[in-house]
Amino acid sequence: MTNVSEKSKLTTYGNIINGKIVQAKDGAVADSIDPSTGEVWAKIPSSKKEDAELVIQAARGAFEGWADLPARTRGDYMRKIGDMIPKYAAELLELETRNNGWVLDEYGYLAEVLKQVWYDAASAATLVGGQGRTVQMGAGDFGFTVRKPYGVVVGILPWNAPLFTFTIKAAYALAAGNTVVIKPAESGAVGSLRYGELISQILPPGVLNVISGSGREIGDYLVSHEEVNKVSLTGSKATAERITKATAHSPKSLIFELGGKSPNIVFEDANIEQAVHGLINGIFTPNSGQICVGGSRMLIQRSIYDEVIGRLKELMTDKEFVKHGNTLDSTNTMGPIANEAQFKSVCRYIDEASKDEYEVVFGGKYGGQEVLPGQPEFADGYWVQPTLVKVADNRTKLAREEIFGPVAVAIPFDTEEEAIQIANDTNFGLAAGVWTQNLGLAHRMIDKLQAGNVWVNTYARVGADLPFSGVKESGYGTDSILDYSQEKACVINIG
């Protein structure tokens, strides 16, 4: 179990290595900051290379035994983990909320989703993980393939949704017969460390390991290690570039799910009220725009542009609709930015929006004293008002760079062709939303939009039974059992 530090009186969480809870070998710890208050609320290991070596060797040592298990047996383990989720859901969701500041209500769905992913992985283990193909090679040769695990998989998590990304990386990698090392972001590590502790009580030692530390201290070491066979990152383009360079001398299979600058497109025939709420939920509440698929570019047909903008402003300036405050209070609808570095980055974009050439429709303030006046306990928190900025076209900095906060631009368009041109005018290609009642238009947009995920009359709907990946600079590959296993070709001469 976790322990309480006598010095700090704060809960101290440990790495999970070979089925045991351990601290960094040199005893170093880092602070976990509650973004709503800016105060330390827990301690986590500050691991170094020697700790990273231990975690890799634990995974390597467990690999052969785990890979040799029948796929059905691995599936049984996955189901046991899924069965465990409801028992600890409340604890995990509270830790996740304090980790990254998302309001508790945003996580209402999460426990059920995590459970279903583990169940899905259990089924996939038997239906897909161990199966291959037969190939007619000719009269004298019989060809077939078998699916084999890669070996040791390193999963690198973002700070904005660590429990979800932990699950989709670990569940399918384990189901395919790999052993796993999870490295959470330091500002979102607590929930992952506790989650790993619970899972390790079910799995054989070393099959799943979790290690906390900075990317510079242990990240490069983990991904470049010769005994690591595959890396899956959910994160930024900059981190992907760093991993690519670090693995150049020891090439391995990579999955990158990176950022986005997603268009959320409203046509004049859309259900306006439905579309407005879809725009709001896509970038403002309840995650404060801290999702990779955030609909940060609102493309609105000119004939309804003023109407949509007016309704957005009406709702987002309603203090009963947008409520900041204690993230564990389910009546609040919007939390802070997850960490100080990201808060400062978002604030710089808001300062940019205040320049003369832009029109700020609503928002534009940041800091606890500005956003939550009269609530001194949140004065030092990383709070940002939801902010919408009118821009004439897609060429501005605010329209082109990923902000990763509750800041969006509104861009007018006239025709379907113009909407497609603006939507695709970006280096990213993770997601897009379309709001229309015209089925033909919806299908044309799905066909033409350069995005790995397209949603029509809904937004950010993902599931265990659908792939999730990007195009262009938003990455490649999926966290699926097929991507965590590789086909091995075999030919037998039968004379």
Side-chain angles (χ1 to χ4, degrees):
M1 296 294 292
T2 54
N3 61 82
V4 177
S5 167
E6 289 298 325
K7 180 179 179 180
S8 64
K9 301 299 182 184
L10 298 172
T11 303
T12 300
Y13 292 82
N15 294 324
I16 310 301
I17 303 178
N18 210 28
K20 298 179 180 179
I21 304 169
V22 297
Q23 296 300 320
K25 288 185 72 66
D26 66 359
V29 295
D31 295 333
S32 183
I33 307 295
D34 183 335
S36 69
T37 63
E39 297 177 351
V40 179
W41 72 284
K43 298 284 186 178
I44 55 176
S46 185
S47 304
K48 305 297 189 300
K49 291 179 181 179
E50 57 184 345
D51 304 296
E53 181 65 28
L54 289 175
V55 83
I56 291 170
Q57 294 309 320
R60 174 56 59 190
F63 170 67
E64 186 173 342
W66 180 251
D68 285 346
L69 288 177
R72 186 173 300 277
T73 302
R74 292 198 300 270
D76 290 342
Y77 278 108
M78 304 297 102
R79 289 187 184 88
K80 289 178 182 178
I81 296 171
D83 292 340
M84 174 270 293
I85 298 293
K87 182 178 179 181
Y88 294 96
E91 176 192 358
L92 290 171
L93 300 190
E94 179 175 337
L95 294 177
E96 193 81 330
T97 296
R98 298 198 71 181
N99 256 339
N100 67 5
W102 285 17
V103 292
L104 191 63
D105 192 51
E106 168 71 343
Y107 288 119
Y109 71 94
L110 190 60
E112 186 64 27
V113 169
L114 299 188
K115 182 177 72 172
Q116 289 303 321
V117 171
W118 286 107
Y119 287 171
D120 183 72
S123 299
T126 53
L127 295 176
V128 180
Q131 295 186 2
R133 301 179 292 129
T134 58
V135 180
Q136 184 61 49
M137 301 290 293
D141 295 308
F142 173 71
F144 63 97
T145 69
V146 292
R147 298 207 72 87
K148 305 292 286 183
Y150 280 91
V152 175
V153 172
V154 170
I156 301 176
L157 311 184
W159 43 258
N160 62 315
L163 287 184
F164 177 72
T165 48
F166 184 132
T167 301
I168 61 171
K169 294 182 191 305
Y172 296 113
L174 293 171
N178 304 281
T179 52
V180 175
V181 174
I182 293 291
K183 187 215 166 293
E186 280 189 291
S187 59
V190 172
S192 296
L193 292 169
R194 175 61 173 150
Y195 194 32
E197 178 184 340
L198 295 170
I199 294 172
S200 70
Q201 295 171 8
I202 296 172
L203 295 173
V207 170
L208 177 81
N209 309 271
V210 186
I211 183 169
S212 171
S214 72
R216 294 193 178 277
E217 284 286 352
I218 64 171
D220 288 353
Y221 189 85
L222 287 171
V223 302
S224 64
H225 201 288
E226 292 184 354
E227 294 197 72
V228 168
N229 308 100
K230 189 175 184 73
V231 177
S232 175
L233 163 74
T234 299
S236 68
K237 177 188 173 184
T239 304
E241 290 175 349
R242 189 177 181 92
I243 290 173
T244 302
K245 292 176 182 178
T247 58
H249 76 284
S250 178
K252 54 203 66 187
S253 177
L254 302 173
I255 298 172
F256 288 153
E257 192 268 277
L258 309 177
K261 193 66 180 176
S262 301
N264 209 350
I265 310 166
V266 185
F267 286 93
E268 60 188 0
D269 72 318
N271 179 316
I272 298 298
E273 193 66 13
Q274 181 189 30
V276 165
H277 283 272
L279 294 173
I280 289 170
N281 291 329
I283 189 61
F284 295 135
T285 60
N287 49 53
S288 295
Q290 297 171 98
I291 53 173
C292 51
V293 298
S296 55
R297 289 187 297 152
M298 299 181 182
L299 277 57
I300 306 167
Q301 199 153 23
R302 199 177 303 272
S303 58
I304 58 169
Y305 184 80
D306 290 338
E307 179 184 359
V308 171
I309 294 295
R311 182 59 176 149
L312 284 167
K313 183 176 181 179
E314 180 182 0
L315 287 173
M316 295 309 294
T317 55
D318 182 347
K319 293 182 179 179
E320 291 301 311
F321 186 81
V322 179
K323 293 182 178 180
H324 295 93
N326 184 354
T327 55
L328 299 178
D329 182 345
S330 60
T331 65
N332 289 320
T333 62
M334 200 164 176
I337 301 300
N339 57 70
E340 184 179 16
Q342 185 60 24
F343 171 69
K344 291 179 177 178
S345 174
V346 173
C347 292
R348 286 193 291 270
Y349 283 103
I350 291 179
D351 291 339
E352 175 77 14
S354 301
K355 294 181 179 179
D356 291 341
E357 64 262 35
Y358 300 115
E359 179 184 343
V360 177
V361 179
F362 54 78
K365 294 183 179 180
Y366 52 80
Q369 293 180 339
E370 290 285 344
V371 180
L372 292 90
Q375 299 187 60
E377 65 271 31
F378 302 120
D380 295 325
Y382 311 136
W383 298 91
V384 172
Q385 280 186 335
T387 301
L388 179 63
V389 184
K390 286 184 178 181
V391 296
D393 53 47
N394 199 54
R395 292 177 292 180
T396 66
K397 179 179 180 180
L398 294 175
R400 302 201 69 82
E401 297 182 7
E402 185 179 33
I403 299 173
F404 219 77
V407 181
V409 295
I411 307 172
F413 70 89
D414 291 299
T415 65
E416 173 185 335
E417 293 73 20
E418 186 182 6
I420 293 169
Q421 186 276 323
I422 295 171
N424 291 339
D425 182 23
T426 173
N427 293 331
F428 296 105
L430 190 57
V434 177
W435 301 86
T436 179
Q437 302 300 309
N438 185 324
L439 184 61
L441 172 59
H443 277 282
R444 291 194 298 274
M445 295 300 290
I446 291 170
D447 180 58
K448 296 297 184 182
L449 288 171
Q450 298 169 359
N453 306 271
V454 179
W455 300 293
V456 178
N457 296 329
T458 186
Y459 200 81
R461 291 292 300 275
V462 297
D465 47 355
L466 283 171
F468 184 83
S469 63
V471 299
K472 300 194 283 189
E473 290 185 5
S474 288
Y476 51 81
T478 61
D479 286 305
S480 69
I481 195 167
L482 288 178
D483 265 4
Y484 283 115
S485 59
Q486 51 191 333
E487 262 190 319
K488 186 176 187 177
C490 314
V491 179
I492 299 176
N493 181 277
I494 56 177

